[in-house]
Amino acid sequence: MKISMIVNGQSHAIELTDEYTPLLWVIRDILGLKGTKFGCGKAACGACTLHVDGEAVRSCSYPVKFAEGKQITTIEGLGNAENPHPVQQAWIEEIVPQCGYCQPGFMMATAALLNKIPNPTDEDIDNNIINVCRCGTYYRMRKAIHKAADKQNAINEINEPTKA
Amino acid sequence: MAGFVLASIYKPIETAYTSTPVNEQENRQNTDVAFHKMMDVLTHPRCLNCHPSDNVPKQGEDSHPHHFDIARGESHKGFEATKCATCHQSENNPYSSAPGSPHWSLAPHSMRWQGLDRFEIAKSMMDTERNGGRSPEEIKKHLTEDDLVLWAWEPGTNIKGEPRELPPVSKKEFISAVEAWFESGHTIPSK
Ligand code: FES
Ligand code: FES
């Protein structure tokens, strides 16, 4: 079977025999995008979080057949070194990562959260950012999430200034 | 002459009991059997886990609170960015074991069943104030046709790869019992 999808703005048509292949394997092993990580394979840790049509999805638990015709964004497509996404920028400034393994999943989950709630409270963060970090960087992440929200709101304000 | 005397002293014995015609008695028995068969399913964790009384979905045969502090959210489908569909798709996942079905979600809070007995659950289910304004016909349809209800008989495997427990009555028997109970007037027997 052939699955067509757009990953980080690029179209791909992928031949597969098993339509239940996790999207994570396709992203990492076929498309070679290694930023999205495998942690548990059981939809429990969030290391594999990416966006499907703008929604946070745990790609280890997402059969590739559901990606047909959809827009996928991975950490590589969120931003890059020259033009980082506000979440990536805040992560750098707060020096969040320790080993780094869980971080792409957290950043993708945060980017999805800020699209839904531009000014998340600590409670919103507790509810929505439930990935697992074995290094325990949660404290720095919380600071980075608030900072990312401020950065993103500032950018939005420049792009769409509220009419006085 | 003797017949006349007997007739004049005969008085019926006073009693509150009124005999029920055999047919009616049999019908009532059948309705009660159908009711209990239906409720054996509706009181099983496969159903109750998604009808919580505290906004927290339950998991497993022991109905433990859903891991990761997941809760109902405003839409009954989780929080704003991390929602049921972050992990649960429209089918069971054979690799991650995350269960799935179309419109995977919690029953609204008005339909909370956990902690109620089977009679109270049945009352709640038939009460339009609590059942989302559904008519008996609509409830029957929900019980016998809804994908999420029927998922109970195709619950997939748990995280250890073991099959999840099925309700104690087969799908076919359950559907027949539901139809029989509704067709006979959906009377809830007394406790
Ligand atoms: S690897 Fe997907 S949630 Fe852990
Ligand atoms: S930084 Fe090491 S697991 Fe999160």
Side-chain angles (χ1 to χ4, degrees):
Chain A
M1 66 177 305
K2 190 180 267 185
I3 306 276
S4 301
M5 55 185 164
I6 297 171
V7 180
N8 299 334
Q10 269 198 304
S11 295
H12 294 276
I14 293 146
E15 279 290 348
L16 282 165
T17 46
D18 180 2
E19 62 185 9
Y20 287 95
T21 304
L23 177 59
L24 176 62
W25 299 148
V26 173
I27 293 294
R28 285 183 57 86
D29 297 346
I30 299 180
L31 301 183
L33 296 167
K34 306 288 191 188
T36 310
K37 300 293 191 261
F38 171 79
C40 63
K42 297 286 180 191
C45 74
C48 63
T49 306
L50 42 66
H51 297 176
V52 176
D53 284 349
E55 302 286 342
V57 158
R58 294 188 168 184
S59 60
C60 71
S61 188
Y62 194 84
V64 68
K65 67 172 180 171
F66 291 129
E68 173 63 41
K70 304 233 166 98
Q71 299 264 1
I72 317 294
T73 307
T74 69
I75 188 73
E76 292 90 345
L78 196 65
N80 53 36
E82 293 74 49
N83 189 19
H85 184 277
V87 172
Q88 293 167 316
Q89 187 63 49
W91 244 247
I92 294 165
E93 288 172 20
E94 290 298 331
I95 317 174
V96 177
Q98 184 158 314
C99 81
Y101 195 81
C102 69
Q103 302 291 335
F106 271 98
M107 283 189 265
M108 296 309 287
T110 300
L113 171 63
L114 297 187
N115 287 340
K116 305 278 179 191
I117 307 177
N119 282 306
T121 61
D122 280 342
E123 192 188 347
D124 294 327
I125 294 171
D126 291 343
N127 288 342
N128 287 279
I129 306 299
I130 55 170
N131 296 11
V132 175
C133 172
R134 293 294 298 271
C135 300
T137 62
Y138 302 108
Y139 173 72
R140 294 201 293 276
M141 275 182 210
R142 189 181 297 280
K143 287 205 290 181
I145 294 168
H146 287 301
K147 187 175 245 187
D150 291 343
K151 285 179 180 295
Q152 184 157 302
N153 291 335
I155 293 168
N156 290 346
E157 187 63 28
I158 293 165
N159 292 343
E160 298 163 34
T162 32
K163 288 173 198 138
Chain B
M1 180 65 184
F4 171 75
V5 172
L6 269 180
S8 64
I9 59 171
Y10 172 75
K11 281 204 186 99
I13 302 164
E14 279 184 35
T15 171
Y17 176 75
T18 51
S19 73
T20 311
V22 177
N23 273 353
E24 211 175 296
Q25 237 176 36
E26 246 177 42
N27 280 349
R28 194 172 300 163
Q29 271 169 8
N30 290 343
T31 309
D32 288 2
V33 168
F35 172 82
H36 286 292
K37 203 172 263 190
M38 173 177 80
M39 296 314 297
D40 284 347
V41 172
L42 301 189
T43 51
H44 188 273
R46 285 286 85 77
C47 290
L48 279 188
N49 282 356
C50 292
H51 282 264
S53 294
D54 60 357
N55 292 330
V56 176
K58 303 300 183 296
Q59 294 178 309
E61 278 81 55
D62 62 352
S63 295
H64 59 264
H66 193 296
H67 294 308
F68 328 117
D69 281 347
I70 289 289
R72 174 187 300 285
E74 294 204 349
S75 60
H76 317 299
K77 292 183 176 177
F79 296 115
E80 298 82 355
T82 297
K83 48 186 81 174
C84 302
T86 301
C87 302
H88 299 275
Q89 310 310 322
S90 56
E91 292 175 34
N92 295 330
N93 189 305
Y95 291 118
S96 70
S97 289
S101 163
H103 73 88
W104 189 264
S105 60
L106 285 189
H109 188 56
S110 70
M111 303 177 197
R112 53 193 180 273
W113 288 357
Q114 255 192 339
L116 305 185
D117 66 28
R118 60 179 54 211
F119 305 96
E120 291 164 339
I121 289 176
K123 272 190 201 140
S124 161
M125 179 175 80
M126 301 307 291
D127 176 1
T128 50
E129 298 277 307
R130 288 181 282 172
N131 74 6
R134 288 184 174 90
S135 66
E137 193 52 41
E138 286 167 326
I139 293 290
K140 185 174 94 172
K141 194 170 155 61
H142 175 70
L143 293 177
T144 56
E145 292 180 27
D146 186 272
D147 286 321
L148 193 44
V149 173
L150 301 182
W151 169 88
W153 285 274
E154 282 165 28
T157 53
N158 65 20
I159 204 152
K160 294 182 197 149
E162 303 155 344
R164 291 192 176 90
E165 188 178 288
L166 299 179
V169 174
S170 75
K171 179 160 91 178
K172 197 166 162 223
E173 273 185 276
F174 170 73
I175 290 175
S176 307
V178 171
E179 283 169 350
W181 187 65
F182 277 87
E183 272 146 35
S184 63
H186 48 81
T187 306
I188 300 169
S190 45
K191 290 191 192 182

